[in-house]
């Protein structure tokens, strides 16, 4: 993607220190945006900030007061938020009958309630400027039933419902609200899934990774840059009529 289409605009990315969030930071920075990067661990955030001239802010998205403080810190550094990329998330897997109430609460708190709180913390900015964007990183698990990850799938279905509702509610404003729904992506989250398979089945790392790759129709993991390129595309002024979309990037499916 050539051109600094996003020159001077401010993108706030939750979970910006690793995986998809870090790829988004690189792509949006390359297009001219100023980036604010949020996550719990400061070290990975600072590494990404160093190569994207970004602002690293430690923030747990399960803490509403911390979100408000972090968003204010981001505004102090880079001005009003033009693009909010709600990307922070956690995955977990277990048979439903072995899923503890605490596991449900933990996953919902980050993936859904955290997204609600982040969207509310930015909505004032998003509704006032031109060509503003709210982008949720959901999952194909937000569109399909997902065995052994009912809590994760429920959180991502909730995220897609939140996105669709806000897209309609604000359709007449200069804000679009969309979600990207990836299949398995080559990130630390997938590394953790591989480790869980190894731990639970005794399979090797190679076998665990192959099992996950086989879940994408094309038999390989999606590259994080594929998600980041779509995020960048949604931020372009030319994408102003893409609203309420759940964009699947999973290597081929009928989702
Ligand atoms: P990563 O694990 O690399 O990224 C998740 C990020 O979220 C981390 O940077 C983490 O930082 C941050 N995070 C987690 N919990 C919190 C919290 N409570 N507060 C603030 N930040 C938090 O994996 P991905 O890049 O793959 O995941 C990004 C998003 O993509 C997630 O929402 C995930 O569900 C979604 N996704 C991923 C897929 C995959 O196959 N990898 C497939 C479909 C969707 P820290 O730990 O420092 O807080």
């Amino acid at each position: 993607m050539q051109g600094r289409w996003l020159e001077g605009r401010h993108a706030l990315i939750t979970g910006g220190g690793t995986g998809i969030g870090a790829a988004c930071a690189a792509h949006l920075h390359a297009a001219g945006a100023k980036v604010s990067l949020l996550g719990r661990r400061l070290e990975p955030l600072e590494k990404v900030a160093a190569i994207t001239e970004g602002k690293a802010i430690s923030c747990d998205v399960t803490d509403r007061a911390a979100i408000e403080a972090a968003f204010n810190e981001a505004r102090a550094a880079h001005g009003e938020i033009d693009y909010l990329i709600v990307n922070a998330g956690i995955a977990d897997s277990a048979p439903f009958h072995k899923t503890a109430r605490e596991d449900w609460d933990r996953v919902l708190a980050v993936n859904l309630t955290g997204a609600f709180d982040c969207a509310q913390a930015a909505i004032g900015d998003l509704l006032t400027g031109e060509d503003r964007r709210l982008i949720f990183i959901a999952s194909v698990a937000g569109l399909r039933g997902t065995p052994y990850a009912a809590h994760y799938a429920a959180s991502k279905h909730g995220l897609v419902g939140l996105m669709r509702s806000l897209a309609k509610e604000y359709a007449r404003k200069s804000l679009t609200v969309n979600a990207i729904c990836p299949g398995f992506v080559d990130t630390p989250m997938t590394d953790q899934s591989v480790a869980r398979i190894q731990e639970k089945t005794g399979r090797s790392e190679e076998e665990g990774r192959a099992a996950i790759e086989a879940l994408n129709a094309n038999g390989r993991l999606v590259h994080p840059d594929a998600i980041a390129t779509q995020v960048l595309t949604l931020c372009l002024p030319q994408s102003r009529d893409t609203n309420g979309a759940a964009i699947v990037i999973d290597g081929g499916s009928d989702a």
Side-chain angles (χ1 to χ4, degrees):
M1 180 75 60
Q2 298 296 314
R4 291 176 66 84
W5 287 97
L6 312 184
E7 192 69 57
R9 310 273 278 172
H10 178 193
L12 190 153
I13 305 163
T14 68
T18 61
I20 293 169
C24 289
H27 280 65
L28 297 177
H29 167 67
K34 299 173 283 186
V35 294
S36 296
L37 311 163
L38 273 60
R40 289 166 302 179
R41 291 164 298 152
L42 205 47
E43 199 188 334
L45 296 171
E46 282 178 339
K47 280 190 183 151
V48 178
I51 52 174
T52 59
E53 300 170 273
K55 173 81 179 164
I57 305 169
S58 174
C59 171
D60 186 331
V61 299
T62 64
D63 179 342
R64 190 175 166 101
I67 290 171
E68 281 167 12
F71 279 41
N72 282 336
E73 204 178 326
R75 283 187 193 98
H78 293 322
E80 282 188 8
I81 298 160
D82 295 291
Y83 316 125
L84 174 62
I85 320 303
V86 178
N87 166 73
I90 54 172
D92 190 26
S93 63
F96 178 68
H97 63 278
K98 289 188 179 168
T99 302
R101 172 61 193 273
E102 291 72 28
D103 297 331
W104 169 271
D105 287 344
R106 193 168 43 85
V107 169
L108 270 284
V110 179
N111 294 1
L112 187 54
T113 309
F116 170 86
D117 285 338
C118 286
Q120 280 205 330
I123 198 68
D125 290 1
L126 297 177
L127 290 176
T128 51
E130 280 305 302
D131 273 325
R132 301 222 161 156
R133 305 284 184 257
L134 173 52
I135 301 170
F136 295 104
I137 306 302
S139 169
V140 289
L143 302 169
R144 310 170 186 155
T146 309
Y148 308 109
H151 47 342
Y152 181 75
S155 73
K156 294 296 188 178
H157 273 73
L159 202 51
V160 171
L162 176 65
M163 176 280 291
R164 288 183 171 137
S165 303
L166 299 186
K168 284 199 172 167
E169 191 165 332
Y170 299 127
R172 301 279 171 143
K173 305 282 186 187
S174 186
L175 167 69
T176 66
V177 188
N178 294 286
I180 298 175
C181 298
F184 281 94
V185 186
D186 194 0
T187 70
M189 182 177 280
T190 295
D191 295 342
Q192 287 161 19
S193 301
V194 171
R196 271 198 300 272
I197 291 176
Q198 286 180 262
E199 189 189 307
K200 288 184 181 163
T201 66
R203 283 191 263 180
S204 68
E205 187 190 340
E206 202 179 14
E207 288 167 334
R209 191 161 292 274
I212 290 198
E213 286 167 353
L215 294 171
N216 284 350
N218 61 1
R220 62 169 185 260
L221 297 180
V222 175
H223 195 286
D225 286 349
I227 313 302
T229 300
Q230 186 61 61
V231 166
L232 169 57
T233 301
L234 286 171
C235 290
L236 296 174
Q238 296 90 327
S239 293
R240 66 178 194 175
D241 299 317
T242 303
N243 189 34
I247 299 165
V248 175
I249 303 179
D250 69 346
S253 70
D254 55 3

